mmCIF file of all heavy atoms in Angstrom:
data_model
loop_
_atom_site.group_PDB
_atom_site.id
_atom_site.type_symbol
_atom_site.label_atom_id
_atom_site.label_comp_id
_atom_site.label_asym_id
_atom_site.label_seq_id
_atom_site.Cartn_x
_atom_site.Cartn_y
_atom_site.Cartn_z
ATOM 1 N N GLY A 1 134.441 41.797 246.349
ATOM 2 C CA GLY A 1 135.594 42.675 246.340
ATOM 3 C C GLY A 1 136.846 42.124 246.979
ATOM 4 O O GLY A 1 137.895 42.771 246.928
ATOM 5 N N GLY A 2 136.776 40.951 247.589
ATOM 6 C CA GLY A 2 137.957 40.362 248.188
ATOM 7 C C GLY A 2 138.958 39.916 247.143
ATOM 8 O O GLY A 2 138.667 39.858 245.955
ATOM 9 N N GLY A 3 140.167 39.605 247.605
ATOM 10 C CA GLY A 3 141.208 39.157 246.705
ATOM 11 C C GLY A 3 142.563 39.179 247.365
ATOM 12 O O GLY A 3 142.681 39.294 248.583
ATOM 13 N N LEU A 4 143.598 39.063 246.541
ATOM 14 C CA LEU A 4 144.986 39.060 246.989
ATOM 15 C C LEU A 4 145.605 40.425 246.739
ATOM 16 O O LEU A 4 145.499 40.972 245.641
ATOM 17 C CB LEU A 4 145.775 37.980 246.244
ATOM 18 C CG LEU A 4 147.277 37.916 246.493
ATOM 19 C CD1 LEU A 4 147.572 37.547 247.939
ATOM 20 C CD2 LEU A 4 147.916 36.915 245.537
ATOM 21 N N VAL A 5 146.260 40.961 247.757
ATOM 22 C CA VAL A 5 146.895 42.268 247.639
ATOM 23 C C VAL A 5 148.206 42.259 248.420
ATOM 24 O O VAL A 5 148.340 41.546 249.413
ATOM 25 C CB VAL A 5 145.949 43.386 248.136
ATOM 26 C CG1 VAL A 5 145.683 43.242 249.632
ATOM 27 C CG2 VAL A 5 146.494 44.764 247.808
ATOM 28 N N GLN A 6 149.182 43.034 247.962
ATOM 29 C CA GLN A 6 150.452 43.146 248.663
ATOM 30 C C GLN A 6 150.332 44.067 249.869
ATOM 31 O O GLN A 6 149.460 44.945 249.902
ATOM 32 C CB GLN A 6 151.530 43.677 247.716
ATOM 33 C CG GLN A 6 151.867 42.746 246.575
ATOM 34 C CD GLN A 6 152.987 43.274 245.707
ATOM 35 O OE1 GLN A 6 153.546 44.335 245.955
ATOM 36 N NE2 GLN A 6 153.328 42.517 244.675
ATOM 37 N N PRO A 7 151.175 43.877 250.883
ATOM 38 C CA PRO A 7 151.174 44.806 252.013
ATOM 39 C C PRO A 7 151.321 46.247 251.541
ATOM 40 O O PRO A 7 152.122 46.548 250.656
ATOM 41 C CB PRO A 7 152.382 44.355 252.839
ATOM 42 C CG PRO A 7 152.524 42.903 252.511
ATOM 43 C CD PRO A 7 152.141 42.787 251.057
ATOM 44 N N GLY A 8 150.523 47.126 252.144
ATOM 45 C CA GLY A 8 150.504 48.518 251.750
ATOM 46 C C GLY A 8 149.497 48.841 250.674
ATOM 47 O O GLY A 8 149.236 50.020 250.405
ATOM 48 N N GLY A 9 148.919 47.818 250.073
ATOM 49 C CA GLY A 9 147.930 48.012 249.031
ATOM 50 C C GLY A 9 146.548 48.270 249.573
ATOM 51 O O GLY A 9 146.331 48.358 250.784
ATOM 52 N N SER A 10 145.590 48.366 248.661
ATOM 53 C CA SER A 10 144.217 48.698 249.013
ATOM 54 C C SER A 10 143.234 47.744 248.361
ATOM 55 O O SER A 10 143.487 47.203 247.282
ATOM 56 C CB SER A 10 143.876 50.126 248.571
ATOM 57 O OG SER A 10 144.686 51.086 249.228
ATOM 58 N N LEU A 11 142.116 47.552 249.021
ATOM 59 C CA LEU A 11 140.980 46.819 248.487
ATOM 60 C C LEU A 11 139.702 47.495 248.944
ATOM 61 O O LEU A 11 139.655 48.059 250.041
ATOM 62 C CB LEU A 11 140.956 45.364 248.951
ATOM 63 C CG LEU A 11 141.882 44.361 248.282
ATOM 64 C CD1 LEU A 11 141.777 43.012 248.991
ATOM 65 C CD2 LEU A 11 141.556 44.209 246.806
ATOM 66 N N GLY A 12 138.669 47.418 248.124
ATOM 67 C CA GLY A 12 137.359 47.902 248.490
ATOM 68 C C GLY A 12 136.348 46.783 248.471
ATOM 69 O O GLY A 12 136.216 46.079 247.470
ATOM 70 N N LEU A 13 135.651 46.581 249.581
ATOM 71 C CA LEU A 13 134.629 45.554 249.696
ATOM 72 C C LEU A 13 133.247 46.185 249.589
ATOM 73 O O LEU A 13 133.031 47.311 250.039
ATOM 74 C CB LEU A 13 134.734 44.810 251.025
ATOM 75 C CG LEU A 13 136.084 44.194 251.377
ATOM 76 C CD1 LEU A 13 135.988 43.447 252.694
ATOM 77 C CD2 LEU A 13 136.571 43.282 250.265
ATOM 78 N N SER A 14 132.322 45.438 249.007
ATOM 79 C CA SER A 14 130.934 45.867 248.902
ATOM 80 C C SER A 14 130.029 44.797 249.469
ATOM 81 O O SER A 14 130.325 43.608 249.383
ATOM 82 C CB SER A 14 130.545 46.140 247.447
ATOM 83 O OG SER A 14 131.290 47.204 246.900
ATOM 84 N N CYS A 15 128.923 45.218 250.038
ATOM 85 C CA CYS A 15 127.909 44.316 250.567
ATOM 86 C C CYS A 15 126.559 44.814 250.091
ATOM 87 O O CYS A 15 126.100 45.881 250.519
ATOM 88 C CB CYS A 15 127.968 44.267 252.092
ATOM 89 S SG CYS A 15 126.643 43.321 252.869
ATOM 90 N N ALA A 16 125.943 44.054 249.200
ATOM 91 C CA ALA A 16 124.643 44.410 248.652
ATOM 92 C C ALA A 16 123.548 43.716 249.443
ATOM 93 O O ALA A 16 123.622 42.519 249.698
ATOM 94 C CB ALA A 16 124.558 44.022 247.183
ATOM 95 N N ALA A 17 122.524 44.457 249.809
ATOM 96 C CA ALA A 17 121.457 43.954 250.657
ATOM 97 C C ALA A 17 120.136 43.911 249.915
ATOM 98 O O ALA A 17 119.839 44.775 249.083
ATOM 99 C CB ALA A 17 121.309 44.817 251.907
ATOM 100 N N SER A 18 119.344 42.901 250.224
ATOM 101 C CA SER A 18 117.983 42.826 249.731
ATOM 102 C C SER A 18 117.044 43.462 250.746
ATOM 103 O O SER A 18 117.454 43.850 251.841
ATOM 104 C CB SER A 18 117.590 41.374 249.475
ATOM 105 O OG SER A 18 117.552 40.638 250.690
ATOM 106 N N GLY A 19 115.761 43.553 250.391
ATOM 107 C CA GLY A 19 114.781 44.093 251.304
ATOM 108 C C GLY A 19 114.524 45.567 251.085
ATOM 109 O O GLY A 19 115.310 46.267 250.436
ATOM 110 N N SER A 20 113.453 46.053 251.671
ATOM 111 C CA SER A 20 113.016 47.428 251.468
ATOM 112 C C SER A 20 113.257 48.334 252.657
ATOM 113 O O SER A 20 112.948 49.525 252.586
ATOM 114 C CB SER A 20 111.524 47.448 251.113
ATOM 115 O OG SER A 20 110.740 46.893 252.163
ATOM 116 N N ILE A 21 113.811 47.801 253.756
ATOM 117 C CA ILE A 21 114.023 48.604 254.957
ATOM 118 C C ILE A 21 115.499 48.698 255.324
ATOM 119 O O ILE A 21 115.846 48.906 256.484
ATOM 120 C CB ILE A 21 113.217 48.055 256.152
ATOM 121 C CG1 ILE A 21 113.560 46.589 256.431
ATOM 122 C CG2 ILE A 21 111.729 48.229 255.908
ATOM 123 C CD1 ILE A 21 112.920 46.047 257.692
ATOM 124 N N PHE A 22 116.381 48.560 254.331
ATOM 125 C CA PHE A 22 117.813 48.637 254.556
ATOM 126 C C PHE A 22 118.209 49.914 255.273
ATOM 127 O O PHE A 22 119.117 49.906 256.113
ATOM 128 C CB PHE A 22 118.553 48.532 253.213
ATOM 129 C CG PHE A 22 120.023 48.808 253.297
ATOM 130 C CD1 PHE A 22 120.911 47.809 253.636
ATOM 131 C CD2 PHE A 22 120.520 50.075 253.022
ATOM 132 C CE1 PHE A 22 122.275 48.055 253.701
ATOM 133 C CE2 PHE A 22 121.878 50.335 253.083
ATOM 134 C CZ PHE A 22 122.761 49.320 253.425
ATOM 135 N N ASN A 23 117.548 50.999 254.960
ATOM 136 C CA ASN A 23 117.951 52.299 255.470
ATOM 137 C C ASN A 23 117.828 52.448 256.978
ATOM 138 O O ASN A 23 118.445 53.355 257.555
ATOM 139 C CB ASN A 23 117.163 53.412 254.768
ATOM 140 C CG ASN A 23 115.678 53.323 255.012
ATOM 141 O OD1 ASN A 23 115.081 52.251 254.927
ATOM 142 N ND2 ASN A 23 115.055 54.461 255.300
ATOM 143 N N ILE A 24 117.069 51.594 257.656
ATOM 144 C CA ILE A 24 116.909 51.701 259.103
ATOM 145 C C ILE A 24 117.771 50.710 259.876
ATOM 146 O O ILE A 24 117.770 50.733 261.106
ATOM 147 C CB ILE A 24 115.440 51.545 259.531
ATOM 148 C CG1 ILE A 24 114.968 50.102 259.341
ATOM 149 C CG2 ILE A 24 114.551 52.524 258.767
ATOM 150 C CD1 ILE A 24 113.605 49.835 259.952
ATOM 151 N N PHE A 25 118.513 49.871 259.181
ATOM 152 C CA PHE A 25 119.320 48.854 259.835
ATOM 153 C C PHE A 25 120.729 49.360 260.117
ATOM 154 O O PHE A 25 121.295 50.114 259.326
ATOM 155 C CB PHE A 25 119.412 47.598 258.969
ATOM 156 C CG PHE A 25 118.248 46.671 259.103
ATOM 157 C CD1 PHE A 25 117.023 46.986 258.543
ATOM 158 C CD2 PHE A 25 118.367 45.470 259.786
ATOM 159 C CE1 PHE A 25 115.945 46.134 258.664
ATOM 160 C CE2 PHE A 25 117.301 44.606 259.916
ATOM 161 C CZ PHE A 25 116.090 44.940 259.352
ATOM 162 N N ALA A 26 121.268 48.922 261.242
ATOM 163 C CA ALA A 26 122.690 49.086 261.505
ATOM 164 C C ALA A 26 123.471 48.074 260.675
ATOM 165 O O ALA A 26 122.981 46.978 260.386
ATOM 166 C CB ALA A 26 122.987 48.888 262.985
ATOM 167 N N MET A 27 124.692 48.424 260.289
ATOM 168 C CA MET A 27 125.520 47.569 259.450
ATOM 169 C C MET A 27 126.906 47.459 260.056
ATOM 170 O O MET A 27 127.385 48.375 260.713
ATOM 171 C CB MET A 27 125.641 48.122 258.028
ATOM 172 C CG MET A 27 124.331 48.365 257.308
ATOM 173 S SD MET A 27 123.441 46.838 256.912
ATOM 174 C CE MET A 27 124.633 45.998 255.855
ATOM 175 N N GLY A 28 127.543 46.325 259.797
ATOM 176 C CA GLY A 28 128.896 46.135 260.288
ATOM 177 C C GLY A 28 129.700 45.218 259.399
ATOM 178 O O GLY A 28 129.147 44.420 258.633
ATOM 179 N N TRP A 29 131.008 45.353 259.498
ATOM 180 C CA TRP A 29 131.951 44.426 258.884
ATOM 181 C C TRP A 29 132.702 43.704 259.987
ATOM 182 O O TRP A 29 133.170 44.338 260.943
ATOM 183 C CB TRP A 29 132.941 45.145 257.967
ATOM 184 C CG TRP A 29 132.372 45.597 256.656
ATOM 185 C CD1 TRP A 29 131.911 46.833 256.342
ATOM 186 C CD2 TRP A 29 132.225 44.804 255.477
ATOM 187 N NE1 TRP A 29 131.480 46.873 255.046
ATOM 188 C CE2 TRP A 29 131.659 45.635 254.484
ATOM 189 C CE3 TRP A 29 132.513 43.484 255.150
ATOM 190 C CZ2 TRP A 29 131.376 45.179 253.198
ATOM 191 C CZ3 TRP A 29 132.225 43.033 253.875
ATOM 192 C CH2 TRP A 29 131.666 43.879 252.920
ATOM 193 N N TYR A 30 132.806 42.392 259.852
ATOM 194 C CA TYR A 30 133.557 41.545 260.759
ATOM 195 C C TYR A 30 134.562 40.737 259.954
ATOM 196 O O TYR A 30 134.432 40.602 258.737
ATOM 197 C CB TYR A 30 132.633 40.600 261.527
ATOM 198 C CG TYR A 30 131.719 41.298 262.512
ATOM 199 C CD1 TYR A 30 130.648 42.070 262.082
ATOM 200 C CD2 TYR A 30 131.930 41.174 263.886
ATOM 201 C CE1 TYR A 30 129.813 42.709 262.984
ATOM 202 C CE2 TYR A 30 131.100 41.803 264.790
ATOM 203 C CZ TYR A 30 130.042 42.568 264.336
ATOM 204 O OH TYR A 30 129.216 43.193 265.239
ATOM 205 N N ARG A 31 135.560 40.183 260.628
ATOM 206 C CA ARG A 31 136.520 39.340 259.938
ATOM 207 C C ARG A 31 136.922 38.172 260.824
ATOM 208 O O ARG A 31 136.898 38.262 262.050
ATOM 209 C CB ARG A 31 137.751 40.129 259.492
ATOM 210 C CG ARG A 31 138.613 40.679 260.623
ATOM 211 C CD ARG A 31 139.699 41.588 260.061
ATOM 212 N NE ARG A 31 140.579 42.103 261.092
ATOM 213 C CZ ARG A 31 141.525 43.007 260.884
ATOM 214 N NH1 ARG A 31 141.709 43.504 259.655
ATOM 215 N NH2 ARG A 31 142.291 43.416 261.888
#
């Protein structure tokens, strides 16, 4: 979902996970 955008614009990022226990994990975004 990354890319180039002008100031004031919007972007949506997605993170797809493997595994069967995703629902019990904490998640975060860093930059």
Side-chain angles (χ1 to χ4, degrees):
L4 175 65
V5 65
Q6 295 183 1
S10 298
L11 282 175
L13 306 182
S14 297
C15 174
S18 65
S20 61
I21 57 173
F22 171 85
N23 62 315
I24 70 171
F25 277 73
M27 304 292 300
W29 286 97
Y30 292 72
R31 66 187 182 186

